[in-house]
């Protein structure tokens, strides 16, 4: 248990949290997070310090490369019907491999139809980084998640460089955000999924995909 907070201290703590969020551009607190801050001020300070450190490390993490528009679709996207290992001439998209974790997390997923075009930014990763810092560096929450429908379109229409690794952040069948890595391997695309808690770093030079809400 944290140090007990008096009624008089609560508005002071709340004001400081708001100032902290505004200064460092962090997302708003939920009700549960706000209660945690009030009841555990010392632990909250430690977490805030870590957030500042992560924010500072994520500055200058990317170089914008280009924006690609993905057209809307009136059909549902059934993942298991699209992401199929097949490198033959009859393949809609040549896929040479699907990782076991990708299959576990995504093959049961169906994405809804889309009413309007979307736009994906490609950002070169300038230094080796873990997923947490990359997600922090993308900033706004709505910029982080992309879809497998968009990944499939990009593979199919030659929008991905076969000499680069691409990183997408996509909610899985249970809505949990996963990192999805895509690269060309031999005669098709290799697609794998990873936990965003994975301590391994993505290499500098890889390309991070994010959503551009203004371009479409």
């Amino acid at each position: 248990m944290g140090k007990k907070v008096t009624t008089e201290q609560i508005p002071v703590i709340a004001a400081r949290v708001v100032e902290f969020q505004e200064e460092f551009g962090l997302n708003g607190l939920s009700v549960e997070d706000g209660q945690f801050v009030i009841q555990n001020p010392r632990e909250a300070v430690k977490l805030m310090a870590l957030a500042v450190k992560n924010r500072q490390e994520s500055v200058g993490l990317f170089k914008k490369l280009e924006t690609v528009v993905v057209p809307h679709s009136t059909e549902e996207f059934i993942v298991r019907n699209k992401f199929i290992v097949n490198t033959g001439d009859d393949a809609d998209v040549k896929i040479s491999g699907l990782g076991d974790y990708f299959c576990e997390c995504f093959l049961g997923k169906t994405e809804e139809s889309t009413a309007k075009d979307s736009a994906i930014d490609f950002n070169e990763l300038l230094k080796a980084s873990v997923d947490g810092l990359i997600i922090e560096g993308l900033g706004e929450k709505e910029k982080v998640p992309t879809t497998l429908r968009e990944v499939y379109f990009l593979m199919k229409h030659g929008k991905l460089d076969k000499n680069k690794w691409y990183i997408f952040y996509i909610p899985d069948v249970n809505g949990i955000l996963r990192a999805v890595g895509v690269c060309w391997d031999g005669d098709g695309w290799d697609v794998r999924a990873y936990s965003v808690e994975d301590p391994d770093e993505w290499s500098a030079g890889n390309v991070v995909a994010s959503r551009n809400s203004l371009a479409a």
Side-chain angles (χ1 to χ4, degrees):
M1 294 293 291
K3 182 180 178 181
K4 186 176 180 180
V5 179
T6 66
T7 302
E8 292 76 15
Q9 288 174 305
I10 290 176
V12 176
I13 294 172
R16 288 177 179 172
V17 170
V18 171
E19 291 174 2
F20 173 84
Q21 290 179 286
E22 291 176 348
E23 180 176 357
F24 294 101
L26 302 177
N27 297 315
L29 289 176
S30 66
V31 173
E32 292 79 9
D33 288 340
Q35 290 174 343
F36 174 84
V37 170
I38 291 172
Q39 297 302 324
N40 304 273
R42 292 183 177 178
E43 186 65 22
V45 168
K46 293 178 183 178
L47 294 175
M48 288 179 183
L50 178 60
V52 172
K53 180 177 180 292
N54 288 346
R55 171 65 67 174
Q56 291 170 338
E57 291 182 3
S58 66
V59 171
L61 198 55
F62 310 112
K63 179 177 74 174
K64 172 74 175 293
L65 298 177
E66 62 176 326
T67 300
V68 177
V69 174
V70 177
H72 68 280
S73 174
T74 58
E75 298 180 355
E76 289 183 329
F77 186 86
I78 302 173
V79 175
R80 69 171 59 255
N81 291 347
K82 296 294 186 179
F83 281 77
I84 301 170
V85 176
N86 184 359
T87 58
D89 293 336
D90 61 331
D92 194 36
V93 171
K94 291 187 176 183
I95 296 177
S96 59
L98 297 173
D100 291 342
Y101 193 57
F102 175 87
C103 294
E104 177 186 337
C105 293
F106 288 103
L107 287 193
K109 185 179 182 182
T110 297
E111 295 177 347
E112 296 179 357
S113 59
T114 54
K116 61 180 181 178
D117 298 349
S118 61
I120 300 297
D121 285 342
F122 288 140
N123 313 281
E124 181 181 352
L125 192 59
L126 298 180
K127 55 186 177 182
S129 299
V130 296
D131 291 300
L133 287 180
I134 293 173
I135 292 170
E136 180 76 21
L138 292 176
E140 302 170 17
K141 279 186 176 180
E142 60 268 20
K143 294 182 66 174
V144 177
T146 53
T147 66
L148 288 175
R149 180 197 302 276
E150 290 162 332
V151 174
Y152 194 82
F153 173 88
L154 296 168
M155 294 190 300
K156 181 176 180 178
H157 293 279
K159 302 299 183 181
L160 303 183
D161 187 334
K162 292 181 178 179
N163 296 311
K164 293 183 179 295
W165 258 94
Y166 288 83
I167 307 162
F168 300 84
Y169 292 102
I170 303 174
D172 69 8
V173 67
N174 296 312
I176 300 171
L177 194 68
R178 307 291 184 187
V180 174
V182 179
C183 69
W184 185 262
D185 183 20
D187 50 2
W189 293 103
D190 186 72
V191 185
R192 299 184 178 274
Y194 308 87
S195 167
V196 295
E197 305 296 329
D198 193 318
D200 292 338
E201 294 181 326
W202 293 97
S203 300
N206 290 345
V207 179
V208 178
S210 62
R211 184 165 307 285
N212 186 323
S213 59
L214 301 178

